Amino acid sequence: QGRSYSCITEHKPAKLGLMAAAAPVQNAQGARKVPADEIAQPFIKEIQEATSQLPEDRRPKLVGFLANSDPAARKYAEWTGKSFRRDGMEFEVRQVETDDLEQALEEANLDKSVSGIMIYYPVFGNRPSFHGGSYDDSLRDSVSLAKDVEGLCHFYRRTLYRNQRYVDSEQARKCVLPCTPLAVVKILEHLGAYDEQHAVGERMTGKSVTIVNRSEIVGRPLAAMLANDGATVYSVDIDSTYIFRRGKVEPVPATATTEEIVRQSDVVVLGVPSDSYKMDPAWVKEGAIVINVASHKNIDEAALLSTRPGVRFVPQVGKVTVAMLERNLLRLHKNFDGASRLVWDSALGCVAPAPADGKCVTNGQALEAA
C-alpha cells in the first residue's frame, strides 16, 4: 500500500474535447457493461430463501471489527449491515482501538452467539508482529477457522493453495473462499467463461487470464483459484510478472511485456488501488471479459466499450462480494453451528466437529470451536 504502479502504467487516456464529451458514446458491436446486480441477484434470492428457513433465534450473526479510520471501510461496513438486515441475518460492527483488537477478536472467537468474524484491513499495515510476519497477517491467522467468513486464516489459505475444496475428509463440508476472488469466479461463471461441459477443476482449461494485482487478499488467491480451475494466469504486480498454473508459479520470459500478455488474455482483472493507473483499452482483445475489482476505475470505460467489439465490462464487484460474504457465513453456520470442539486430523489436513461423547479419532487433536 502506498506504492506506485507507475512502472506498469503505460497508458494515459487522452482528454476528450467538449464536443466529444457531449456526444453519446456508442458501444462497439456486442460490447456491453455488466452491472453487478445482474450477477448478485440470484445469490441474494438463494440467501434469503436459506435464511427464511432458519428459526429467528438460530440465524447466523456476523461481527465486523473496525479498528481504522478508513472512510471506505466504514462505508463498506454500512453497506454490509444494510444487506444483512435485508436478507434476514444479523450484523454487528464493533469499533475498537487497535491495541484492544487482539483481545476483542479472541472474545468473539469464544462467543457462541457469533457465527462469523471479519476485520476491516489494513489495521497495522506493515508493522511487524511479535509472532513473526506483519501484525495484520497475525490477526488473519487469529480468527477461528469455524468463524473466518473471509477465508483468510492459515487453514483456508492452505486448503485454497493445495486445491483442497472440503473442510472434512468425508467431503460433506465445503471450504469458504476469500470473498472478492470468489465474486470474480461467480462473475466469470455467469458470463460463460467457465465451460460446464468440463469436470469441476477443468472448466477454465485453455483460458488465459491477466490479473493486475498480487495482494494476499485479492490478486494472489484469485490467481490460484483460476489456475486450480485450469486457466493459465498471468499475475502482474509493481515489479514482476508471474505465471500461475495449477500448483506451480514461474516467472514470465524476460522479454514478455504486460501489453503482450493482455492482448492474448480472455479475461483481464484490474485491481490497482490507485486512480493514476489506467490500462490502455487497445490492449484488450475483442470478446474479452474485463473486471474492475479496484475502488478506482483502472480503465477508460467509454473507450473500452466503444472500441473493443464483444467486450463485456464489469466496473464494480461490491454487490457480488457482499453476497459471497453472506454465502460464506451461511456455509460456516451449516458446517460448524453447535460444535463446541473440532477434531484436527493431521494426516489428512482436515477438520470435523468432535464426536458428542468427546472421544478423539486417531491422529486427531481437539480444537476449541466456540
Side-chain angles (χ1 to χ4, degrees):
Q1 297 201 344
R3 298 179 294 178
S4 170
Y5 275 73
S6 58
C7 62
I8 58 171
T9 303
E10 302 182 38
H11 169 69
K12 292 183 180 179
K15 293 182 179 179
L16 297 176
L18 293 177
M19 185 177 296
V25 177
Q26 185 173 355
N27 288 355
Q29 184 176 2
R32 77 178 183 102
K33 176 179 177 179
V34 182
D37 268 336
E38 179 181 312
I39 300 103
Q41 280 305 316
F43 291 107
I44 292 171
K45 182 179 179 182
E46 173 189 298
I47 289 159
Q48 291 173 342
E49 289 175 354
T51 304
S52 68
Q53 294 173 15
L54 297 171
E56 288 194 13
D57 61 348
R58 294 290 303 279
R59 293 182 180 180
K61 175 181 178 179
L62 174 64
V63 169
F65 284 103
L66 190 59
N68 63 35
S69 57
D70 182 3
R74 189 174 298 278
K75 190 69 177 176
Y76 181 39
E78 292 173 0
W79 191 8
T80 302
K82 182 178 179 180
S83 299
F84 270 61
R85 287 189 294 273
R86 177 199 64 203
D87 298 334
M89 288 186 283
E90 292 186 63
F91 176 70
E92 177 187 342
V93 176
R94 296 183 182 177
Q95 187 158 349
V96 298
E97 297 297 324
T98 53
D99 291 339
D100 299 329
L101 178 56
E102 202 166 359
Q103 179 60 35
L105 179 58
E106 187 57 29
E107 291 171 0
N109 276 335
L110 298 173
D111 186 344
K112 295 183 185 298
S113 72
V114 176
S115 306
I117 295 169
M118 68 178 295
I119 300 169
Y120 292 96
Y121 295 103
V123 179
F124 295 98
N126 294 321
R127 175 176 157 184
S129 167
F130 180 83
H131 308 287
S134 76
Y135 213 136
D136 280 6
D137 288 340
S138 178
L139 288 172
R140 278 187 273 273
D141 287 336
S142 298
V143 180
S144 165
L145 70 91
K147 299 187 180 186
D148 182 12
V149 75
E150 296 180 286
L152 296 174
C153 73
H154 178 267
F155 176 82
Y156 290 120
R157 293 200 309 275
R158 181 181 187 274
T159 56
L160 186 158
Y161 291 116
R162 292 190 176 202
N163 202 16
Q164 178 183 323
R165 304 194 179 206
Y166 292 87
V167 169
D168 57 335
S169 58
E170 291 79 15
Q171 298 190 353
R173 299 174 174 87
K174 287 186 176 181
C175 292
V176 298
L177 293 164
C179 300
T180 299
L182 182 58
V184 172
V185 169
K186 295 304 177 184
I187 290 167
L188 293 176
E189 289 179 344
H190 175 81
L191 295 177
Y194 273 68
D195 187 347
E196 295 186 358
Q197 300 300 314
H198 292 167
V200 172
E202 301 293 341
R203 292 179 176 174
M204 285 290 284
T205 298
K207 299 288 173 46
S208 177
V209 180
T210 294
I211 303 171
V212 187
N213 174 295
R214 203 182 307 128
S215 70
E216 297 298 329
I217 295 176
V218 179
R220 187 185 295 273
L222 176 59
M225 288 163 65
L226 295 177
N228 284 340
D229 284 334
T232 298
V233 183
Y234 295 90
S235 174
V236 180
D237 208 78
I238 295 171
D239 54 3
S240 60
T241 300
Y242 287 91
I243 305 173
F244 280 64
R245 295 186 176 94
R246 187 180 286 114
K248 297 180 180 179
V249 180
E250 56 192 27
V252 298
T255 57
T257 67
T258 303
E259 178 179 354
E260 291 171 346
I261 291 166
V262 172
R263 284 186 180 277
Q264 68 182 17
S265 294
D266 304 290
V267 176
V268 179
V269 180
L270 300 170
V272 180
S274 170
D275 192 42
S276 65
Y277 176 77
K278 301 292 182 185
M279 177 174 283
D280 188 339
W283 294 1
V284 178
K285 79 175 187 178
E286 296 183 8
I289 297 170
V290 180
I291 303 173
N292 190 87
V293 302
S295 54
H296 303 279
K297 199 169 288 185
N298 290 164
I299 196 165
D300 186 314
E301 178 181 319
L304 175 70
L305 293 175
S306 63
T307 62
R308 311 313 295 158
V311 157
R312 285 161 293 171
F313 177 55
V314 184
Q316 295 178 320
V317 301
K319 291 184 179 180
V320 188
T321 297
V322 172
M324 295 304 104
L325 184 71
E326 293 180 304
R327 199 165 175 262
N328 278 355
L329 183 64
L330 284 169
R331 179 158 291 169
L332 289 175
H333 187 263
K334 178 182 178 182
N335 286 350
F336 302 115
D337 183 45
S340 60
R341 294 191 309 157
L342 304 177
V343 172
W344 165 254
D345 189 318
S346 58
L348 297 175
C350 296
V351 298
D357 59 10
K359 295 179 180 178
C360 273
V361 296
T362 304
N363 295 324
Q365 177 184 355
L367 306 169
E368 292 297 324

PDB file of all heavy atoms in Angstrom, residues 271-284:
ATOM      1  N   GLY A 271      -7.056  -4.555 -10.480  1.00  0.00           N
ATOM      2  CA  GLY A 271      -7.204  -4.320  -9.045  1.00  0.00           C
ATOM      3  C   GLY A 271      -6.153  -3.391  -8.483  1.00  0.00           C
ATOM      4  O   GLY A 271      -5.693  -3.583  -7.356  1.00  0.00           O
ATOM      5  N   VAL A 272      -5.774  -2.362  -9.224  1.00  0.00           N
ATOM      6  CA  VAL A 272      -4.744  -1.431  -8.751  1.00  0.00           C
ATOM      7  C   VAL A 272      -5.400  -0.365  -7.859  1.00  0.00           C
ATOM      8  O   VAL A 272      -6.300   0.343  -8.315  1.00  0.00           O
ATOM      9  CB  VAL A 272      -4.020  -0.760  -9.933  1.00  0.00           C
ATOM     10  CG1 VAL A 272      -2.950   0.201  -9.418  1.00  0.00           C
ATOM     11  CG2 VAL A 272      -3.400  -1.815 -10.842  1.00  0.00           C
ATOM     12  N   PRO A 273      -4.948  -0.229  -6.614  1.00  0.00           N
ATOM     13  CA  PRO A 273      -5.589   0.717  -5.683  1.00  0.00           C
ATOM     14  C   PRO A 273      -5.120   2.150  -5.895  1.00  0.00           C
ATOM     15  O   PRO A 273      -4.691   2.822  -4.963  1.00  0.00           O
ATOM     16  CB  PRO A 273      -5.160   0.171  -4.316  1.00  0.00           C
ATOM     17  CG  PRO A 273      -3.821  -0.435  -4.566  1.00  0.00           C
ATOM     18  CD  PRO A 273      -3.892  -1.026  -5.954  1.00  0.00           C
ATOM     19  N   SER A 274      -5.210   2.621  -7.120  1.00  0.00           N
ATOM     20  CA  SER A 274      -4.753   3.973  -7.437  1.00  0.00           C
ATOM     21  C   SER A 274      -5.526   4.503  -8.629  1.00  0.00           C
ATOM     22  O   SER A 274      -5.738   3.788  -9.615  1.00  0.00           O
ATOM     23  CB  SER A 274      -3.253   3.956  -7.766  1.00  0.00           C
ATOM     24  OG  SER A 274      -2.852   5.210  -8.285  1.00  0.00           O
ATOM     25  N   ASP A 275      -5.892   5.765  -8.552  1.00  0.00           N
ATOM     26  CA  ASP A 275      -6.621   6.386  -9.652  1.00  0.00           C
ATOM     27  C   ASP A 275      -5.692   6.727 -10.822  1.00  0.00           C
ATOM     28  O   ASP A 275      -6.150   7.006 -11.920  1.00  0.00           O
ATOM     29  CB  ASP A 275      -7.307   7.666  -9.150  1.00  0.00           C
ATOM     30  CG  ASP A 275      -8.308   8.209 -10.152  1.00  0.00           C
ATOM     31  OD1 ASP A 275      -9.047   7.400 -10.738  1.00  0.00           O
ATOM     32  OD2 ASP A 275      -8.353   9.439 -10.348  1.00  0.00           O
ATOM     33  N   SER A 276      -4.387   6.672 -10.596  1.00  0.00           N
ATOM     34  CA  SER A 276      -3.440   7.051 -11.642  1.00  0.00           C
ATOM     35  C   SER A 276      -3.159   5.922 -12.624  1.00  0.00           C
ATOM     36  O   SER A 276      -2.640   6.167 -13.713  1.00  0.00           O
ATOM     37  CB  SER A 276      -2.117   7.508 -11.015  1.00  0.00           C
ATOM     38  OG  SER A 276      -1.489   6.439 -10.327  1.00  0.00           O
ATOM     39  N   TYR A 277      -3.512   4.693 -12.250  1.00  0.00           N
ATOM     40  CA  TYR A 277      -3.255   3.579 -13.163  1.00  0.00           C
ATOM     41  C   TYR A 277      -4.425   3.417 -14.127  1.00  0.00           C
ATOM     42  O   TYR A 277      -5.577   3.237 -13.705  1.00  0.00           O
ATOM     43  CB  TYR A 277      -3.046   2.268 -12.407  1.00  0.00           C
ATOM     44  CG  TYR A 277      -2.875   1.091 -13.365  1.00  0.00           C
ATOM     45  CD1 TYR A 277      -1.672   0.894 -14.019  1.00  0.00           C
ATOM     46  CD2 TYR A 277      -3.934   0.244 -13.660  1.00  0.00           C
ATOM     47  CE1 TYR A 277      -1.511  -0.144 -14.931  1.00  0.00           C
ATOM     48  CE2 TYR A 277      -3.786  -0.797 -14.563  1.00  0.00           C
ATOM     49  CZ  TYR A 277      -2.583  -0.985 -15.193  1.00  0.00           C
ATOM     50  OH  TYR A 277      -2.429  -1.996 -16.095  1.00  0.00           O
ATOM     51  N   LYS A 278      -4.142   3.451 -15.425  1.00  0.00           N
ATOM     52  CA  LYS A 278      -5.157   3.224 -16.450  1.00  0.00           C
ATOM     53  C   LYS A 278      -4.570   2.294 -17.513  1.00  0.00           C
ATOM     54  O   LYS A 278      -3.561   2.626 -18.143  1.00  0.00           O
ATOM     55  CB  LYS A 278      -5.591   4.534 -17.120  1.00  0.00           C
ATOM     56  CG  LYS A 278      -6.177   5.581 -16.171  1.00  0.00           C
ATOM     57  CD  LYS A 278      -7.513   5.160 -15.598  1.00  0.00           C
ATOM     58  CE  LYS A 278      -8.068   6.257 -14.692  1.00  0.00           C
ATOM     59  NZ  LYS A 278      -9.315   5.829 -14.008  1.00  0.00           N
ATOM     60  N   MET A 279      -5.192   1.160 -17.702  1.00  0.00           N
ATOM     61  CA  MET A 279      -4.752   0.270 -18.774  1.00  0.00           C
ATOM     62  C   MET A 279      -5.246   0.802 -20.116  1.00  0.00           C
ATOM     63  O   MET A 279      -6.370   1.319 -20.219  1.00  0.00           O
ATOM     64  CB  MET A 279      -5.292  -1.144 -18.549  1.00  0.00           C
ATOM     65  CG  MET A 279      -4.928  -2.115 -19.664  1.00  0.00           C
ATOM     66  SD  MET A 279      -5.423  -3.816 -19.312  1.00  0.00           S
ATOM     67  CE  MET A 279      -4.127  -4.291 -18.157  1.00  0.00           C
ATOM     68  N   ASP A 280      -4.429   0.652 -21.145  1.00  0.00           N
ATOM     69  CA  ASP A 280      -4.801   1.078 -22.494  1.00  0.00           C
ATOM     70  C   ASP A 280      -5.885   0.131 -23.021  1.00  0.00           C
ATOM     71  O   ASP A 280      -5.656  -1.070 -23.152  1.00  0.00           O
ATOM     72  CB  ASP A 280      -3.566   1.019 -23.386  1.00  0.00           C
ATOM     73  CG  ASP A 280      -3.800   1.619 -24.770  1.00  0.00           C
ATOM     74  OD1 ASP A 280      -4.976   1.719 -25.182  1.00  0.00           O
ATOM     75  OD2 ASP A 280      -2.813   1.977 -25.433  1.00  0.00           O
ATOM     76  N   PRO A 281      -7.084   0.633 -23.313  1.00  0.00           N
ATOM     77  CA  PRO A 281      -8.152  -0.229 -23.827  1.00  0.00           C
ATOM     78  C   PRO A 281      -7.776  -0.952 -25.115  1.00  0.00           C
ATOM     79  O   PRO A 281      -8.309  -2.034 -25.399  1.00  0.00           O
ATOM     80  CB  PRO A 281      -9.309   0.747 -24.069  1.00  0.00           C
ATOM     81  CG  PRO A 281      -9.032   1.913 -23.193  1.00  0.00           C
ATOM     82  CD  PRO A 281      -7.543   2.022 -23.149  1.00  0.00           C
ATOM     83  N   ALA A 282      -6.845  -0.391 -25.895  1.00  0.00           N
ATOM     84  CA  ALA A 282      -6.438  -1.019 -27.150  1.00  0.00           C
ATOM     85  C   ALA A 282      -5.741  -2.354 -26.924  1.00  0.00           C
ATOM     86  O   ALA A 282      -5.652  -3.176 -27.840  1.00  0.00           O
ATOM     87  CB  ALA A 282      -5.515  -0.076 -27.939  1.00  0.00           C
ATOM     88  N   TRP A 283      -5.244  -2.585 -25.709  1.00  0.00           N
ATOM     89  CA  TRP A 283      -4.593  -3.860 -25.403  1.00  0.00           C
ATOM     90  C   TRP A 283      -5.598  -5.008 -25.301  1.00  0.00           C
ATOM     91  O   TRP A 283      -5.249  -6.167 -25.476  1.00  0.00           O
ATOM     92  CB  TRP A 283      -3.849  -3.783 -24.079  1.00  0.00           C
ATOM     93  CG  TRP A 283      -2.682  -2.862 -24.051  1.00  0.00           C
ATOM     94  CD1 TRP A 283      -2.215  -2.069 -25.072  1.00  0.00           C
ATOM     95  CD2 TRP A 283      -1.819  -2.620 -22.937  1.00  0.00           C
ATOM     96  NE1 TRP A 283      -1.120  -1.356 -24.659  1.00  0.00           N
ATOM     97  CE2 TRP A 283      -0.843  -1.669 -23.360  1.00  0.00           C
ATOM     98  CE3 TRP A 283      -1.765  -3.109 -21.643  1.00  0.00           C
ATOM     99  CZ2 TRP A 283       0.153  -1.216 -22.507  1.00  0.00           C
ATOM    100  CZ3 TRP A 283      -0.773  -2.651 -20.791  1.00  0.00           C
ATOM    101  CH2 TRP A 283       0.180  -1.717 -21.220  1.00  0.00           C
ATOM    102  N   VAL A 284      -6.842  -4.692 -24.957  1.00  0.00           N
ATOM    103  CA  VAL A 284      -7.851  -5.720 -24.664  1.00  0.00           C
ATOM    104  C   VAL A 284      -8.338  -6.339 -25.963  1.00  0.00           C
ATOM    105  O   VAL A 284      -8.756  -5.629 -26.887  1.00  0.00           O
ATOM    106  CB  VAL A 284      -9.038  -5.116 -23.885  1.00  0.00           C
ATOM    107  CG1 VAL A 284     -10.107  -6.173 -23.622  1.00  0.00           C
ATOM    108  CG2 VAL A 284      -8.547  -4.501 -22.572  1.00  0.00           C
TER     109      VAL A 284
END
